[in-house]
Amino acid sequence: SLFRLSKHVCLPKAFIQLAPASKVQLPSLHIGRTSLQVQGAFTMGLGYVLTEEFLFSEKGANASNGTWEYKPPSSQDIPVVFNISFLKDVPNAAGIYSSKAVGEPAMLASASILAALRHAVGALRKDGNVQGAFDLSVPATPEAICVAAAVNPATFSFAE
């Protein structure tokens, strides 16, 4: 969800389906741990897509290396419903112990959020009769979303 006035992004649900990481002896323990790894990777990608802006000073020094400037995702940013499922009977004979990657695909899945945001910004622009192309790249911060959506804060009115 993209809130029209605040440009706050809300991700209420996420559903990710992957091939299992490997052949395991204790499936219940494996599925729990692997699900957490997938959730962590998706959340990392979520931060990269939405909030983690790297800023540099005029001298080239990292200006976003403190907690005031660096904004990783918080508990309020991750999906409330976060379902992970694994495909059955998908062997990987080439992997060591039939292993497969689970973190990288989940992190890449977070790129879908940027695509959804671009679609939402396009709808906002259409509603506002704004024509032409726009740029929305990572990180898609609230400020970047406002610029892409061509929102003019001077048109806001605040009731007292």
Side-chain angles (χ1 to χ4, degrees), residues 34 42 57 63 67 81 111 118 125:
T34 305
F42 185 81
S57 71
T67 56
V81 176
R118 287 178 177 158
R125 291 171 63 92

Side-chain angles (χ1 to χ4, degrees), residues 84-109:
I84 310 298
S85 63
F86 298 96
L87 300 169
K88 297 201 184 305
D89 301 321
V90 187
N92 181 20
I96 299 171
Y97 294 110
S98 299
S99 64
K100 298 182 188 98
V102 293
E104 293 84 353
M107 188 166 179
L108 291 174

Side-chain angles (χ1 to χ4, degrees), residues 43-77:
T43 303
M44 252 180 82
L46 185 67
Y48 177 74
V49 169
L50 297 177
T51 62
E52 296 179 17
E53 186 170 21
F54 295 99
L55 304 172
F56 297 93
S57 71
E58 290 178 13
K59 294 181 180 180
N62 185 354
S64 56
N65 61 350
T67 56
W68 290 107
E69 301 85 14
Y70 179 70
K71 306 295 181 210
S74 71
S75 61
Q76 300 299 309
D77 299 319

Side-chain angles (χ1 to χ4, degrees), residues 1-153:
S1 307
L2 175 60
F3 295 99
R4 182 182 287 268
L5 291 178
S6 68
K7 304 305 173 269
H8 175 75
V9 176
C10 175
L11 188 63
K13 297 178 184 179
F15 299 93
I16 299 175
Q17 186 173 42
L18 297 170
S22 62
K23 201 171 175 183
V24 294
Q25 304 302 319
L26 298 170
S28 60
L29 177 63
H30 172 74
I31 296 300
R33 285 181 155 175
T34 305
S35 292
L36 290 174
Q37 186 177 2
V38 170
Q39 289 176 341
F42 185 81
T43 303
M44 252 180 82
L46 185 67
Y48 177 74
V49 169
L50 297 177
T51 62
E52 296 179 17
E53 186 170 21
F54 295 99
L55 304 172
F56 297 93
S57 71
E58 290 178 13
K59 294 181 180 180
N62 185 354
S64 56
N65 61 350
T67 56
W68 290 107
E69 301 85 14
Y70 179 70
K71 306 295 181 210
S74 71
S75 61
Q76 300 299 309
D77 299 319
I78 61 174
V80 175
V81 176
F82 208 153
N83 295 333
I84 310 298
S85 63
F86 298 96
L87 300 169
K88 297 201 184 305
D89 301 321
V90 187
N92 181 20
I96 299 171
Y97 294 110
S98 299
S99 64
K100 298 182 188 98
V102 293
E104 293 84 353
M107 188 166 179
L108 291 174
S110 62
S112 63
I113 296 164
L114 183 61
L117 277 175
R118 287 178 177 158
H119 185 75
V121 167
L124 280 173
R125 291 171 63 92
K126 185 176 180 182
D127 287 349
N129 292 321
V130 178
Q131 302 294 320
F134 65 92
D135 180 40
L136 182 61
S137 57
V138 294
T141 61
E143 296 84 5
I145 293 169
C146 281
V147 169
V151 172
N152 182 357

